[in-house]
Amino acid sequence: MIKTPSDMKSYKERIRKALTDPFLRSALDKFNTQYRENRPRIYAGVDFEGIRDEIAAAKDDALPALMDLYESFKKHAEASGAKVHLVRDAEEANRTISEIARENGVKKIAKSKSMTAEEIFLNDHLIEAGYEVIETDLGEWIIQLRHEGPSHMVMPAIHLSRYQVGDLFGKVTGKKQDSENIDKLVKVARERLRPAFLTAGMGISGANFALADSGALGMVTNEGNMRLVTTLPSVHVALVGIEKLVPNLKSALRILKVLPRNATGQAITSYVTWIKGANESLSSFSHRKILHIVFLDNGRLAMAKDPIFSEALRCIRCGACANVCPIYSKVGEHRYGHVYIGAIGLILTLFYHGKESDRVIVQNCLNCQACKSVCPVDIDLPYLIKKTYRLVLDQENRKPVKNLLLSRILKNRKLFHFLLRRAYLAQKPFAAGDTVIRHLPHFFEKAHGFRSLPVIAKTPFRDRWKRIAPKAEASGKTVALFAGCAVDFIYPEQGESLFEILQKQNVGLEFPLDQTCCGLPAMMAAEEETSKELARQNIEAFADVKAEHILTLCASCASHLKHNYPKILGDSPEVKAFTDKIIDFSSYMINILKVIPEQFLPSGKKVAYHAPCHLCRGLGVHREPRELITVCGASYVPSKDEDVCCGFGGSYSVDFPEISSEILKKKLDNVEASGAEILVTDCPGCVLQLRGGMDKRGRGIEVKHLAELCAQSLKSSAT
Amino acid sequence: MTPSPMIQLMKEKAEAVQAVVFQIGDFKEAVTYTIDLTKRQNGRNIAAGGLSKDQEDALREACAQAHLTLLPFPLRPHANKIHTSLTLADWGIAETGTLVIDSTKEDIRIATMLAEIHVAVLPASRIKPDAEALEREIDGILKKDAPAYLAFITGASRTADIERVLAIGVHGPKELHILITG
Ligand code: SF4
Ligand code: SF4
């Protein structure tokens, strides 16, 4: 049975082990890259977003009516000879299924892949009850032989190399296997498992769809074992999560358009099988199949009624949220989930397996949005992960010190800013007169030493503002700056660059001094009340501002302000007036100010670009920053994986430095390989991470905010 | 004769997933094809699934001449030794190169699942552009209050479970041949 650490220390140990496993690392890294690269080709000619929205809406319609769908399904399925059960929890499911086996005198059970069976640890239970259980899906068979759980929802043995499989099959067959010949290894499974299908008394499968208007099940598979499992033995038990109920064939076909594409990059799998009722079967006395369909609740019906978490029940188990996750691709397996793996696993684990198994893993998320961007049913996974973390904290009724501090300090802007100013003094001795700290004071763990850290600015932007604020109002456009903590207190020069640009462009700037932290760090720590309070304070701070736009230099702030504020505060006109104005730096420059190359002095410098997660995926801005690099006279050099996270994730990089540094390393390797002299990005958090890492490398590649690059080469306007 | 765009698409998409596709004249050619294929691979027998009485007779005669066994029904006792199966497909889905086969009869299931090589005959007139275009027909089968087993088959059985390397022929047929008639 899978064991997921419930304390951070043993979890970290596991992570460290994974990070030193060369096969796992390269296999998952390669998978992540190839998956992302293949996607556009796989979705060519398919309106992914359109279908995604339709499926999400259809699922949301179906969820409140699950019990009606169930009744309809049951009626039709039973009219055609099946027996339909609804079981409350894992215990009842296991009991029901072994009861069916006992009633029918079964000894041997052939299983095809089912995540729902994994969820309830069905195999363990059946084996304990004295049955022989044989997994027949190749990957599942391999991990069964190794006594492991699946390391991916679609590819359960992705953590194993051909050599490990070859050795294993060598032991199983008593014959040495040629590990290089994967075709032959596959044939070993074909030959060894054939007798299992033919001699098993019962087959167990899952299902991808349960069609309410006909009582048929739909199954999406590739190997062909599910077809044998459902055909050859006289008894077939289908274990189905109750959320798999859909109204009709039409809804299922719509999901079928994205499920194989998202899961395995296929337009359709080798087999899609629709099974209804007690089909002809010469293996049973009656010449009719004995079909039991067991619907599992296990908390789903309650979840379906939850205004926030019901969204998680849209999941169609495509596994893509793990495929693209930068953390999964570093640590893999159960270090990123319990039974269910990947972003959705961090959420579902709490509901299906309890807080002990989720309390640590749920904290391991960068909020990079990669999972959300590929989810074919539009689940806001990063948001739900934070919500789940909050539930864990509530259930434990005990909060980490970090949370207590966050809520105490952040809610009180004056106190918070006072402390930030004090921090400048506190870190002064470590900076040795420099703008960065290269050698961390000894009370930091060694793992944190992968980047140098910036010092808190002596004079924050808000103080400089008082000096530079234009006295007269500008004649034309006006924009308000939402600085965010990082620009205000760490990189005020980025704010000054913006000011310089706007002055040269004759654009007025406003800076409401009551603005405070956007609240994202509080949300990341599941401090919901605090993040709500901060959202309220900021909306108030900007309420009287006349500017047409609220510009941020921080992509994370922007995406939080724009997309999370309505979730936190509700979608009132006041909130909308605020969120509608939010714009990022490059969109403002390209789309509003419409800057052109003639306004800049070309530098010709080779510039690479890092796309902040919250800009490219959060705000959907892709073209503008790259265009701006070229417009402002630099030479943009593309680098690999520009839109993959840099590993910062706010306090994530402090909580999980081992993983953060690995993600950063790959990013910087890619930038170096591009031959760039300068690396720009448009988020101060990314600047912190990237500059800190580059500084440690000492190869002279400068890291800048895009605003700084622009300010340097912008000519004064003629007027 | 240049095939219609729909047949062309069906062929292209099926070939993209390693199916072998030919356009042939009539069922007799399918029999010859299946016998030749089986002999070439040193197969000893053929199983039929879903053929009409006449088609079955034609196949039986050809098997006898070629010294191949036409496996008798029910197929279950022979399940473990079927070399080639020859079946009729009910529909084709051009968009994905998919065959739709009503497999409610157990013999059809066994023939299409357990044979080493699966040959399916698909009348050109039964090719539809996409699965949505078959919704009514499929619903017609699934919505009767009677048992049903309906299969979409696209290419041969496959896996990528070892190092994500594609391997063909895991538990299902190792080859799929599609013969489009008419
Ligand atoms: S937000 Fe990023 S780090 Fe978090 S689960 Fe999703 S992909 Fe992984
Ligand atoms: S949450 Fe979305 S991406 Fe993840 S497995 Fe479920 S459907 Fe796929």
Side-chain angles (χ1 to χ4, degrees):
Chain A
M1 206 148 118
I2 303 162
K3 267 210 129 35
T4 299
S6 57
D7 67 290
M8 197 47 95
K9 197 157 164 261
S10 19
Y11 183 52
K12 289 265 179 119
E13 226 134 77
R14 276 214 194 179
I15 286 175
R16 255 168 277 190
K17 233 196 240 146
L19 290 173
T20 53
D21 177 338
F23 170 75
L24 188 67
R25 289 284 313 279
S26 76
L28 294 177
D29 251 357
K30 216 161 70 192
F31 179 35
N32 177 305
T33 309
Q34 287 173 353
Y35 182 83
R36 284 180 295 109
E37 283 172 358
N38 283 336
R39 249 178 101 83
R41 187 178 52 74
I42 289 156
Y43 274 102
V46 181
D47 173 16
F48 172 70
E49 274 145 42
I51 299 179
R52 181 190 66 187
D53 294 349
E54 276 177 35
I55 298 175
K59 281 266 178 192
D60 288 351
D61 282 346
L63 287 172
L66 273 183
M67 277 317 287
D68 297 336
L69 296 177
Y70 170 76
E71 291 303 337
S72 164
F73 180 94
K74 184 177 164 84
K75 189 178 84 197
H76 293 294
E78 295 197 334
S80 54
K83 176 90 185 75
V84 180
H85 313 249
L86 173 58
V87 294
R88 212 175 16 206
D89 52 19
E91 195 271 327
E92 192 182 344
N94 287 324
R95 189 160 29 86
T96 305
I97 295 172
S98 49
E99 188 62 17
I100 296 168
R102 200 187 52 79
E103 263 168 25
N104 291 286
V106 169
K107 288 195 183 64
K108 196 189 276 185
I109 298 170
K111 256 194 83 225
S112 63
K113 192 170 169 325
S114 155
M115 278 311 296
T116 317
E118 300 284 349
E119 175 183 327
I120 61 169
F121 300 104
L122 178 61
N123 285 9
D124 294 334
H125 186 90
L126 291 173
I127 290 167
E128 208 165 286
Y131 300 102
E132 184 186 351
V133 183
I134 303 155
E135 289 286 354
T136 61
D137 172 89
L138 175 58
E140 291 281 341
W141 186 51
I142 294 170
I143 60 168
Q144 185 188 33
L145 292 170
R146 288 175 56 96
H147 308 289
E148 292 173 340
S151 57
H152 185 277
M153 295 205 285
V154 177
M155 283 154 294
I158 193 170
H159 60 296
L160 297 173
S161 73
R162 62 186 75 189
Y163 306 103
Q164 287 166 298
V165 176
D167 287 351
L168 179 71
F169 284 8
K171 271 187 220 137
V172 170
T173 55
K175 265 200 298 235
K176 195 167 159 38
Q177 300 292 333
D178 174 9
S179 293
E180 293 299 346
N181 194 335
I182 289 182
D183 252 328
K184 275 234 174 84
L185 291 179
V186 168
K187 298 300 178 298
V188 170
R190 182 184 178 95
E191 279 150 34
R192 298 291 293 198
L193 289 170
R194 254 312 149 83
F197 299 113
L198 290 160
T199 55
M202 178 162 127
I204 298 180
S205 76
N208 299 88
F209 315 109
L211 312 186
D213 70 344
S214 64
L217 295 172
M219 298 164 191
V220 182
T221 64
N222 268 315
E223 295 186 0
N225 59 314
M226 184 280 304
R227 285 159 47 84
L228 297 170
V229 157
T230 58
T231 292
L232 293 173
S234 57
V235 185
H236 170 202
V237 174
L239 175 64
V240 190
I242 192 156
E243 84 282 13
K244 297 283 160 58
L245 279 161
V246 292
N248 48 34
L249 180 71
K250 198 189 203 70
S251 339
L253 290 180
R254 190 164 44 208
I255 294 174
L256 194 58
K257 273 216 155 33
V258 291
L259 174 56
R261 284 190 165 85
N262 235 48
T264 49
Q266 296 168 283
I268 192 168
T269 49
S270 304
Y271 305 111
V272 177
T273 309
W274 308 94
I275 299 178
K276 176 179 182 182
N279 276 288
E280 177 190 9
S281 172
L282 296 189
S283 59
S284 89
F285 290 122
S286 61
H287 285 193
R288 285 284 149 202
K289 190 100 193 170
I290 299 158
L291 171 62
H292 289 266
I293 301 165
V294 181
F295 282 100
L296 177 67
D297 173 0
N298 211 17
R300 289 165 169 84
L301 289 170
M303 201 184 205
K305 294 205 185 86
D306 188 297
I308 291 161
F309 285 100
S310 63
E311 203 176 302
L313 286 178
R314 291 182 197 154
C315 175
I316 55 172
R317 309 276 186 264
C318 71
C321 53
N323 304 356
V324 297
C325 174
I327 304 175
Y328 176 81
S329 76
K330 292 279 176 279
V331 302
E333 293 192 58
H334 304 112
R335 298 168 201 94
Y336 216 62
H338 178 60
V339 171
Y340 292 105
I341 306 286
I344 192 71
L346 304 190
I347 299 161
L348 295 181
T349 299
L350 175 67
F351 292 88
Y352 300 157
H353 300 108
K355 68 175 185 338
E356 285 303 308
S357 298
D358 204 27
R359 56 195 302 272
V360 176
I361 55 174
V362 73
Q363 299 175 53
N364 194 359
C365 168
L366 278 158
N367 191 25
C368 78
Q369 314 275 317
C371 49
K372 180 180 169 185
S373 72
V374 296
C375 177
V377 290
D378 203 22
I379 303 175
D380 191 346
L381 293 152
Y383 181 72
L384 290 189
I385 289 170
K386 295 304 162 204
K387 283 277 179 191
T388 307
Y389 181 38
R390 176 55 191 248
L391 277 187
V392 172
L393 293 179
D394 285 350
Q395 286 182 16
E396 303 205 319
N397 209 6
R398 192 170 50 110
K399 281 195 184 173
V401 181
K402 182 171 112 187
N403 285 49
L404 299 175
L405 286 176
L406 263 177
S407 71
R408 276 285 294 283
I409 297 167
L410 280 184
K411 275 188 210 156
N412 184 340
R413 183 184 64 77
K414 289 199 173 127
L415 172 66
F416 174 46
H417 287 171
F418 168 75
L419 289 173
L420 281 171
R421 288 171 205 269
R422 282 278 297 274
Y424 163 71
L425 297 173
Q427 54 175 215
K428 230 170 131 187
F430 305 108
D434 208 342
T435 54
V436 296
I437 301 173
R438 293 217 168 76
H439 302 288
L440 291 174
H442 63 271
F443 49 82
F444 279 95
E445 273 183 57
K446 216 172 92 217
H448 294 274
F450 66 97
R451 60 177 181 201
S452 52
L453 287 173
V455 294
I456 302 281
K458 184 173 176 204
T459 317
F461 183 76
R462 54 180 58 241
D463 292 0
R464 301 182 190 198
W465 173 251
K466 287 176 196 149
R467 216 174 42 232
I468 58 178
K471 298 291 171 285
E473 276 193 22
S475 49
K477 297 184 173 73
T478 307
V479 58
L481 172 65
F482 182 90
C485 310
V487 167
D488 200 350
F489 285 87
I490 302 175
Y491 299 123
E493 64 276 15
Q494 296 176 4
E496 286 178 326
S497 292
L498 173 74
F499 181 69
E500 192 184 328
I501 293 167
L502 296 179
Q503 285 236 303
K504 287 181 184 167
Q505 292 277 315
N506 287 325
V507 176
L509 180 65
E510 290 200 36
F511 184 74
L513 284 165
D514 284 343
Q515 61 180 282
T516 183
C517 169
C518 69
L520 181 62
M523 198 185 90
M524 289 284 288
E527 274 309 317
E528 288 170 8
E529 299 79 3
T530 308
S531 77
K532 195 166 178 178
E533 174 58 31
L534 293 173
R536 226 182 275 125
Q537 288 178 12
N538 280 321
I539 293 209
E540 211 179 289
F542 282 81
D544 296 330
V545 168
K546 295 283 171 310
E548 308 85 56
H549 292 98
I550 300 172
L551 190 151
T552 82
L553 295 170
C554 174
S556 297
C557 293
S559 135
H560 183 66
L561 299 173
K562 204 171 180 73
H563 298 308
N564 289 340
Y565 273 24
K567 286 194 174 185
I568 296 170
L569 293 175
D571 221 348
S572 69
E574 204 191 346
V575 173
K576 196 170 172 330
F578 176 82
T579 56
D580 280 354
K581 287 187 180 174
I582 302 294
I583 193 165
D584 65 283
F585 173 69
S586 61
S587 298
Y588 190 75
M589 294 294 283
I590 294 288
N591 300 333
I592 307 296
L593 296 186
K594 300 192 167 48
V595 289
I596 49 169
E598 287 68 31
Q599 296 169 311
F600 296 86
L601 284 168
S603 72
K605 283 249 160 79
K606 284 192 274 181
V607 172
Y609 176 64
H610 162 68
C613 300
H614 294 125
L615 191 71
C616 62
R617 285 177 292 276
L619 296 179
V621 175
H622 303 275
R623 175 182 54 86
E624 290 82 354
R626 293 166 173 94
E627 200 174 312
L628 187 56
I629 292 173
T630 312
V631 167
C632 78
S635 150
Y636 163 57
V637 289
S639 54
K640 206 171 152 241
D641 291 348
E642 280 177 355
D643 57 357
V644 171
C645 184
C646 65
F648 178 60
S651 61
Y652 181 86
S653 58
V654 180
D655 294 339
F656 292 95
E658 316 77 356
I659 300 171
S660 174
S661 61
E662 284 297 326
I663 297 173
L664 176 63
K665 178 177 175 299
K666 200 172 157 205
K667 173 105 284 178
L668 297 182
D669 287 348
N670 287 335
V671 172
E672 280 186 2
S674 74
E677 301 156 81
I678 300 175
L679 169 62
V680 299
T681 184
D682 24 15
C683 185
C686 304
V687 168
L688 188 157
Q689 174 89 341
L690 298 166
R691 193 182 279 169
M694 275 300 186
D695 183 62
K696 282 265 165 166
R697 291 190 173 203
R699 310 250 165 83
I701 297 178
E702 261 185 282
V703 179
K704 285 189 165 132
H705 194 289
L706 189 44
E708 296 174 287
L709 186 79
C710 275
Q712 272 168 4
S713 55
L714 183 64
K715 297 187 225 168
S716 292
S717 72
T719 48
Chain B
M1 183 188 77
T2 46
S4 79
M6 193 118 80
I7 298 178
Q8 196 50 44
L9 184 64
M10 174 83 204
K11 188 166 183 298
E12 221 173 82
K13 293 293 174 182
E15 281 170 349
V17 286
Q18 292 85 25
V20 182
V21 188
F22 284 105
Q23 249 191 298
I24 58 167
D26 57 11
F27 185 78
K28 265 200 357 237
E29 281 180 53
V31 170
T32 317
Y33 181 95
T34 309
I35 299 242
D36 287 352
L37 181 69
T38 310
K39 294 208 79 144
R40 233 184 7 250
Q41 299 188 349
N42 297 321
R44 314 272 299 269
N45 61 51
I46 294 176
L51 305 186
S52 71
K53 179 90 185 44
D54 289 351
Q55 289 171 333
E56 229 175 270
D57 289 343
L59 179 62
R60 183 171 302 107
E61 199 175 306
C63 278
Q65 276 177 19
H67 305 288
L68 294 174
T69 311
L70 177 63
L71 294 170
F73 298 121
L75 291 175
R76 191 175 266 269
H78 315 287
N80 208 15
K81 54 171 193 235
I82 305 172
H83 186 271
T84 312
S85 65
L86 177 61
T87 70
L88 287 187
D90 293 276
W91 294 284
I93 299 173
E95 186 185 47
T96 46
T98 300
L99 299 174
V100 180
I101 302 183
D102 183 344
S103 315
T104 307
K105 277 208 187 114
E106 184 174 68
D107 282 326
I108 297 184
R109 264 177 284 147
I110 289 178
T112 54
M113 291 177 195
L114 284 138
E116 297 288 298
I117 313 293
H118 177 198
V119 183
V121 177
L122 171 67
S125 61
R126 316 252 327 165
I127 302 178
K128 305 276 173 177
D130 50 30
E132 280 71 16
L134 272 175
E135 222 173 279
R136 219 162 37 109
E137 286 83 348
I138 299 171
D139 259 342
I141 296 171
L142 295 182
K143 277 187 162 179
K144 281 187 297 206
D145 273 338
Y149 199 112
L150 189 77
F152 289 12
I153 300 178
T154 311
S157 104
R158 62 193 55 227
T159 187
D161 271 354
I162 303 177
E163 286 196 17
R164 294 190 305 114
V165 176
L166 176 68
I168 303 290
V170 202
H171 297 296
K174 295 172 184 165
E175 293 175 23
L176 175 67
H177 298 248
I178 302 174
L179 305 177
I180 302 174
T181 58

